[in-house]
Amino acid sequence: MAGPAKFLRRDIWTLQSDDPIITGYANGVKLLRQRAADKPTSWTYQAAIHGTENAPNKPLWNQCQHGTWFFLPWHRMFLYHFEEIVRAAVIEAGGPHDWALPYWNYGLPGRNATLPLPFRKPKLANGDPNPLFESARASGINSGAALPTQVTSPAIALGRPHFVGAAEFGGGITQAAQFSQQTGRLENTPHNAVHVAVGGPTGLMANILAAALDPIFWLHHANIDRLWTVWVKNGTHKDPTQAEWREHTFKFFDQHGHEVSMKCENVLDPPTDLHYTYEEGVTAPAAIAPKAPPPAPPEGVKVADQIDRPQMVGATAEGIDLVGDPVAVEVPIDAAAAGQLSPAQHVYLNVEDIEGKRNPGVIYGIYVELPADAPADHAALDRVGNLTFFGIEGARSPEGDEHAHGLRGAMDISRFAQELAARGEWGGHSLSVSFVPAGLIPPEEPDPGDAVPASHEHPDTPVRIGRVSVFYDA
Amino acid sequence: MAWAARLARLPSWLGLRPRPPAAVLAVAALISLAWSVLLLGLVSMPMASGATPAMAAGPLWICGVPGGAMSMGGGAMGGSGGAASPLQMAAEGMPMWSLMALAMMLPAALPATSHVALNSLQRRRGRAVSEFLVAYLLPWLAFGGLALLLLALLPGQATVMLAAALAIATLWELSPAKRWALNRCHRTSPLPPSGWRASLGATRFGVLHGGACVVSCWPLMLVMAAAPSARLAWCAGLGGVSLAEKLAQRPRRSARRVGMALGLGFVAAALAALSAGV
């Protein structure tokens, strides 16, 4: 190990609003916005590297990696270079030389789940426009509405034993499967869910092609990056070993506007590789561990191989339209295909062919075998995952430079399946799957101009799920 | 990424590795069979006698079909083969066209075939894949019939027709419509698990996928239909192009490159036609 990292990324909720980290960030954002848009170190250019609707493409625009096992390393590199660019601007504006991006740890209960104060008000104390404010956010966010636990909790992701796989921590191998969106669990929640909850139906954060224009984007991603370091700290968790991941290279611009490239395997230990670390002393929420920890793969066998050839055991015959209300479907489990469920068998729920014109700005929690007398507050109930629709526009964009396909999500439901099998209610029976919208929690003193919509309010954009299915790995 | 590394990953991109379902292996075997027949057929197939490739009287499809040595609109073979209606000529070209459609367009359908197999109950995999593939190939056969009929109806020198087909293909590859169609090739549609709904679902996905691929690749097949010689080389080349476009991570860039290559082909064919004194 090298010596202590030079730069410390701190929890923004532990800082006073006049902390040089916050004022430095505001000054840096302001400075970047003043630069010509065609300069790689300008605010809009940096956001366009993630995604933009502007055309024609300038060098390195629209590079962001979503729905893939490159999601985490790409965004780590993206943040690293952005932080360098902002630090140079902070220093230029007379700020601290060791400035580092703060992070927004919304996963802790209470005020942490609300938008940090320096981002909420349109004006600074001196009357100048606040560079960190953005009006295009979900209603209620700027007046202190809290994100629900379903949206912010990284517990499901942190409990996944493996990195590789759509139902695992970091996402699936994308080029191996032309027809899958291999979104990993951390990318799904809290990443996608927080994007959509903060952006709402029309805000910047909910749209991949505009998200990085909102200054809170970078603090959200610093937290996602931090959660990756938290997951890795658990001794048994390992980053991918495959050369096609480790040796993959992405390009960015440094603080001088020069193109630079980085390899995934060279960003896996931030303190040594990238000279930053996260503030200690902030406890992460407990991870949800799978009930029966999966056996370790035999020596020499790639983890991904275990789910490369799944076996379908049941699926719905019809699609489901989601319009903002809770919906439950029955997935018939085929008796012959399901057979006797062995205790070591992993069972996955897939939500497939998700299509819609626009992101409705609603997040649905996915529940299996939800009891009929379930309390109205679903926060405490056992969820298997979330449906977030982040990126749904790109999935059907005929003009984009990526292949269009519906979104797809995969989640581990082994413990539910094992319980049903133990009761003799598996093969030949139906699995009940519920989709329940998770709305924002209104602040105690709501701002009349920024009201939180009731969670049952119908979004103008319906979305359709093509099929819900259940798979065994094989 | 190095080409060798890309090639090494091709089997997994196509769904052939690791542990592919039996139905997918069966389709891979069918592709190999089609290529074997084509390669063996090359030996036994009579060429239009007396015609140099550049001077062939019509597209190889028409004059090269065994037993159907007829020509279009004059040239070296003019008038020697007896009269045959355009419909008859197109019909005689269809068996070979079908074989080539299997050889050229099935590889690009392997990822979708794998998707159908993996998303079906195991006992229905064979059936679902068959229903999907029949529906996938129908648009190709329909297009082939039309293309051959068109070529039989159009009088003209083979190289002129080839140049025209290459010009159309070039414009198409560079158009936004091509990108739109290529994107459609990556859409899936839901596959219900059992009963008539499952058959309907597999068939619908086949028609959608085949239709999208025809819309994306029809000018390439037009070039194929207009090829006056070296049919197998065209078949392999254009089949490889359609597969590469399907697997490309950046479809806009790949379509642009293919468009430029076809443009060069057009220039070459146009020069050949001019030097032949058309």
Side-chain angles (χ1 to χ4, degrees):
Chain A
M1 285 292 285
K6 265 166 84 179
F7 305 107
L8 182 67
R9 291 187 180 173
R10 297 186 60 191
D11 179 344
I12 188 156
W13 271 110
T14 66
L15 305 174
Q16 298 297 319
S17 56
D18 59 351
D19 192 288
I21 293 175
I22 294 172
T23 51
Y25 185 46
N27 289 336
V29 170
K30 190 175 161 192
L31 224 149
L32 261 58
R33 284 206 178 112
Q34 286 164 355
R35 290 180 183 160
D38 60 348
K39 272 186 86 170
T41 57
S42 72
W43 180 254
T44 49
Y45 203 109
Q46 283 293 308
I49 289 175
H50 187 264
T52 179
E53 284 168 16
N54 291 343
N57 250 5
K58 291 208 166 69
L60 304 189
W61 277 13
N62 292 310
Q63 299 288 308
C64 70
Q65 301 284 315
H66 294 105
T68 158
W69 63 341
F70 292 118
F71 166 77
L72 285 168
W74 187 87
H75 283 86
R76 173 169 285 174
M77 298 173 195
F78 184 43
L79 245 64
Y80 171 78
H81 289 102
F82 173 80
E83 187 180 49
E84 251 189 5
I85 290 167
V86 176
R87 185 180 302 126
V90 168
I91 294 169
E92 199 182 318
H97 285 240
D98 62 348
W99 182 89
L101 261 177
Y103 63 89
W104 176 20
N105 187 9
Y106 31 68
L108 294 177
R111 62 175 193 173
N112 274 62
T114 64
L115 187 73
L117 297 169
F119 292 77
R120 290 191 202 166
K121 293 291 168 214
K123 300 260 186 226
L124 296 171
N126 63 8
D128 287 349
N130 176 8
L132 304 181
F133 175 76
E134 172 56 59
S135 61
R137 293 182 182 140
S139 321
I141 286 289
N142 279 332
S143 54
L147 309 180
T149 315
Q150 294 96 307
V151 163
T152 58
S153 169
I156 292 177
L158 292 176
R160 297 313 304 161
H162 304 300
F163 186 101
V164 182
E168 297 299 332
F169 182 75
I173 303 173
T174 36
Q175 286 177 337
Q178 289 284 313
F179 289 103
S180 296
Q181 276 277 336
Q182 301 282 318
T183 306
R185 291 303 90 198
L186 185 69
E187 185 183 345
N188 175 277
T189 303
H191 171 261
N192 285 359
V194 167
H195 264 288
V196 175
V198 171
T202 54
L204 299 181
M205 275 285 276
N207 180 352
I208 284 186
L209 302 180
L213 289 168
D214 188 333
I216 196 63
F217 170 95
W218 306 92
L219 279 74
H220 169 37
H221 268 279
N223 191 47
I224 297 297
D225 187 63
R226 184 185 66 88
L227 289 168
W228 183 13
T229 66
V230 169
W231 183 82
V232 169
K233 270 184 203 143
N234 176 323
T236 60
H237 293 163
K238 295 275 179 287
D239 288 326
T241 51
Q242 291 94 327
E244 62 189 293
W245 186 84
R246 300 186 74 91
E247 288 166 19
H248 200 94
T249 298
F250 293 105
K251 288 180 183 164
F252 298 88
F253 290 104
D254 66 12
Q255 76 265 43
H256 309 294
H258 299 145
E259 208 173 284
V260 287
S261 56
M262 256 187 182
K263 221 180 234 184
C264 289
E265 66 180 359
N266 294 336
V267 301
L268 300 184
D269 183 21
T272 318
D273 295 337
L274 304 172
H275 315 295
Y276 72 82
T277 189
Y278 287 97
E279 186 175 23
E280 292 286 339
V282 183
T283 46
I288 295 178
K291 213 168 204 173
E299 204 59 36
V301 174
K302 279 189 296 179
V303 168
D305 287 353
Q306 295 179 336
I307 51 166
D308 271 345
R309 189 193 152 183
Q311 172 91 247
M312 193 181 95
V313 297
T316 55
E318 286 173 348
I320 308 146
D321 290 309
L322 294 177
V323 293
D325 297 321
V327 177
V329 286
E330 297 289 321
V331 185
I333 305 298
D334 188 90
Q340 282 290 328
L341 188 62
S342 86
Q345 182 64 61
H346 287 259
V347 184
Y348 296 94
L349 183 77
N350 278 357
V351 185
E352 305 164 9
D353 292 314
I354 306 162
E355 297 199 357
K357 281 202 186 85
R358 284 196 298 110
N359 192 324
V362 180
I363 296 125
Y364 294 83
I366 306 173
Y367 302 82
V368 167
E369 296 292 312
L370 197 60
D373 57 351
D377 179 15
H378 284 71
L381 294 173
D382 226 355
R383 246 170 340 114
V384 295
N386 282 331
L387 206 53
T388 70
F389 315 113
F390 188 58
I392 200 166
E393 315 90 340
R396 52 174 288 132
S397 161
E399 271 302 301
D401 197 16
E402 266 178 54
H403 296 303
H405 37 58
L407 302 176
R408 184 176 174 127
M411 47 225 95
D412 193 333
I413 56 163
S414 303
R415 61 203 173 97
F416 296 93
Q418 294 293 351
E419 277 169 24
L420 288 170
R423 294 207 301 264
E425 293 172 12
W426 185 239
H429 292 73
S430 279
L431 180 77
S432 158
V433 180
S434 307
F435 301 90
V436 183
L440 296 177
I441 303 158
E444 279 169 17
E445 289 169 32
D447 179 340
D450 191 26
V452 180
S455 64
H456 62 265
E457 190 173 298
H458 288 205
D460 15 324
T461 318
V463 280
R464 185 168 178 79
I465 297 172
R467 189 176 87 161
V468 181
S469 64
V470 175
F471 276 76
Y472 288 172
D473 53 359
Chain B
M1 199 196 311
W3 277 101
R6 285 191 196 203
L7 272 181
R9 260 170 239 158
L10 192 59
S12 68
W13 288 353
L14 293 176
L16 295 172
R17 250 195 14 207
R19 292 172 295 160
V24 176
L25 286 179
V27 176
L30 188 63
I31 295 168
S32 313
L33 185 70
W35 277 103
S36 308
V37 171
L38 280 175
L39 288 167
L40 294 172
L42 180 70
V43 180
S44 62
M45 193 166 304
M47 289 289 289
S49 59
T52 63
M55 289 297 291
L60 201 57
W61 290 103
I62 308 299
C63 66
V65 173
M70 49 211 61
S71 74
M72 304 297 310
M77 297 286 293
S80 67
S85 75
L87 205 58
Q88 210 176 337
M89 288 191 276
E92 282 175 21
M94 276 310 281
M96 179 57 78
W97 179 276
S98 310
L99 192 60
M100 290 205 161
L102 284 180
M104 281 174 74
M105 300 324 292
L106 272 191
L110 272 174
T113 307
S114 177
H115 174 81
V116 171
L118 291 175
N119 283 284
S120 299
L121 292 171
Q122 187 149 25
R123 63 171 181 277
R124 275 194 76 105
R125 279 180 178 172
R127 186 170 160 188
V129 163
S130 312
E131 288 160 346
F132 166 76
L133 283 181
V134 167
Y136 171 79
L137 287 168
L138 276 179
W140 278 117
L141 296 183
F143 173 74
L146 282 175
L148 291 187
L149 192 60
L150 184 74
L151 284 166
L153 284 170
L154 282 177
Q157 264 261 351
T159 36
V160 177
M161 287 203 203
L162 178 63
L166 283 167
I168 293 171
T170 304
L171 292 176
W172 179 252
E173 287 289 328
L174 299 176
S175 74
K178 163 73 187 189
R179 284 207 305 279
W180 179 86
L182 188 55
N183 272 341
R184 299 286 303 184
C185 291
H186 288 258
R187 294 287 286 276
T188 53
S189 71
L191 298 166
S194 56
W196 62 269
R197 280 202 179 102
S199 296
L200 188 68
T203 307
R204 183 181 54 204
F205 181 40
V207 169
L208 288 176
H209 195 62
C213 291
V214 168
V215 174
S216 174
C217 290
W218 66 270
L220 293 181
M221 288 307 252
L222 206 60
V223 172
M224 182 71 228
S229 62
R231 181 159 47 192
L232 272 185
W234 281 103
C235 186
L238 294 172
V241 162
S242 64
L243 183 62
E245 285 192 322
K246 183 77 146 285
L247 297 176
Q249 292 292 300
R250 298 263 161 193
R252 189 178 297 180
R253 191 171 59 184
S254 69
R256 205 162 46 215
R257 286 178 181 173
V258 170
M260 287 193 275
L262 288 166
L264 287 177
F266 162 71
V267 172
L271 287 177
L274 284 175
S275 69
V278 176

